[in-house]
Amino acid sequence: MTNTHQRPLRILLAKLGMDTHTVGITIIAHALREAGMEVIFTGLKQTPEMVAAAAIQEDVDVVGISTLSAGHTRNLPKLARLLREAGAGDKLLLAGGVIPEEDRPLLEEAGVDRTFTMGSDTRDIVAYLNEWWAQQLAADA
Amino acid sequence: MKQKVSTLDPTVKDQTTRDRATKSEIEEEVARWESETRGPFVAANPERREEFLTQALKWPINPLYTPADLDALGFDYKDDVGFPGEYPYTRGTGPNGHRSGFWTMTQVTGFGSGQSWSKRARYMLDQGLSGLILEYDLATTNGYDSDDPMVEGEVGRAGMALDSLEDLEEAFDLPFDQLKYLMSVCNAPQPVNLAMIIAALEKKGVDPKDFVLHIVNGILIEYTCVGRYIYPPEHGLRLATDCIEYIIKNHPNWAPISIISAQLQPAKANPVQEIAFSLAIACAYIDATLERGFDIDTVAPYFHFVVNVDMDFFEGICKLRAFRKCWARLMRDRYGATKPEAMKIRMMTSPTTTALTLQQPLNNIGRLAIMATACSLGGAGENMTTPLHDEAHSLPAEEAIRVGAALQHIVAHETGVAETIDPLAGSYYVESLTKQMENAAFEEMDKIFDMGGALKAIETGYFQRALGREQYERNRDIEEGRRLWVGVNHLKLDEEKREINIFRLNDEMESEQVAKVRNLRARRDQALVDNALEQVREAARNGSNMMESCLAAVKAYATHGEICYAMRDVFGEYGSDSQLGGI
């Protein structure tokens, strides 16, 4: 990661596929923005290809995917692979929503850095991101 | 210009005509009780919170309600409450509550292929349910076939995969002597879905007069908060109106339109927004249907509402009572309906899934029981659907289905709440809250009508922004502890043991479904299909009712996605980023 300096963290929030449950992602967007982060939303009904392209084009630090329709075991590993193949594997990849416990190892192995399931506190997500961002800035300095 | 709906009711009485002696006597007594009895107690025993508020509306709750509160609101028993089965239907649209028969008990089901849906549906009928709800996967509801690259990983997951008439022929391998009611939830491609069901029922030899098909046909709420839209809103409204017109003319015993207020509630609409947004949306469909030459007394009885109840017991009960009354007033005073059938709301109720927690999922059984009781006390409507306690974890397992079905029987047979009609009527709190909700809902409706109605409120993002604000604020209430939620921010467990079984989908299902639709395309009469799809485009262009061309296309085994694409060719697609509140 280059030229991070003291700029705010940039995060792309996205919904993959036909899953259009938006309450969670709306709350997260408000919370991250209130915490001073730059939040970009892709819109609904995105393919992994569209999200990977947007992540690179918008030069974000973090990609956050909200998933509530059980499509996560396929589309999240695909997104992780596409990001790696495009040389953007250093971006933090987060997933949130309805993700059963036993799917987490599969997602982690595929390259999802962290999952926040339904009921997670937005303050925990903000704290996690702030800590990660501080580490990036420190490593960059 | 139409008069404000909030001032249309000619029965609202002038305060000065009331019996002031009675009123002041009670007020004086309340003041006396405050200073002599309650005041000293509270001074010694401070209240457990600074302010007591209703959960969603955040309206202050008084320590005590008396007849004085009702007087202050201009409450009049005859005008505001009346009698069951009579205007304004606050005490129920039926004249005998649940004493002649319970509400129909239903549950949502739908996943996998047509065959697996049929198997699960049989299981549910065996558990004592008499009606079913058929939900489709997100490929279907967004207008794609299972092999479309847009929907990889979604096939059969959130509901049944429906690619062609073949799939419904398999799904309908059911005892239709037991199954008398089916609700189908497929909004954006509604004419295609309706045509497929009609064709499949024909093939099964089901007499459409002996069966009730209930289509949701709720595209305007999809634009507002759900997101499963395809075409721009004006075309969405036209397709919905086509289905309403077709059903009224051809299957008058069916239900052509539902306003799923129960989708606004999970998007965090408060009860006033739910009533006002739902009714304003209903008005958009009604106005479009009236333009096709029907009169209000014919059209209004076809409208159905599905309303959720959340955990605030009294907000839930009062919302159901106010909903009935607001519809009655709106039909009578805004549209000039004259027949009782037009003024009686058709309502289906349900405990909300959004009250359920991922944490300690067995607690959800308790929540569901309380909410189902509130539904019943609020009048239940013709149908009650119970969600399942494990929904936050994954798609439901069979044990959860059994418990969910039992739950409604427990409320109906064991609690006694259904033995008298509208048992909470006359409660000073319940009547105050009902009346306040009604007044606030009419004010909000006026705001929406002033901006040009529901279609404009959608196109300008008014609904979406309003809901986005509620979503953020209500989440903060929980995170900052203003609202306690067991398992989430209260009585949390450090390490949670898994308490439930999770139903898992077979991953091979998607590839089987993809192969199936490709196989169909290879063996059908392609010339017939091409011609049928051109007829669909032509109908879309020339504004005639889409149903005839959709019926011909599904019977030629044109696929669901192909017909939806034919309409995309004419209508275009709606921007996908339009609906997020405040993002």
Side-chain angles (χ1 to χ4, degrees), chain A residues 17-97:
Chain A
M18 299 297 113
D19 167 16
T20 53
H21 299 89
T22 56
V23 174
I25 201 170
T26 304
I27 291 169
I28 301 286
H30 276 283
L32 299 187
R33 212 167 262 173
E34 194 152 283
M37 300 175 199
E38 269 184 57
V39 180
I40 300 156
F41 180 63
T42 57
L44 299 176
K45 302 179 191 178
Q46 304 288 303
T47 60
E49 287 84 354
M50 291 154 88
V51 174
I56 290 157
Q57 197 194 329
E58 297 284 351
D59 193 25
V60 294
D61 310 295
V62 184
V63 178
I65 302 295
S66 150
T67 170
L68 288 98
S69 76
H72 57 275
T73 53
R74 289 189 186 195
N75 55 30
L76 279 174
K78 187 171 181 186
L79 173 62
R81 177 172 59 76
L82 289 168
L83 285 171
R84 274 195 305 276
E85 285 172 5
D90 59 337
K91 293 187 195 307
L92 189 71
L93 179 57
L94 306 181

Side-chain angles (χ1 to χ4, degrees), chain A residues 8-24:
Chain A
L9 176 150
R10 275 165 75 80
I11 180 167
L12 183 77
L13 292 179
K15 296 287 297 181
L16 282 172
M18 299 297 113
D19 167 16
T20 53
H21 299 89
T22 56
V23 174

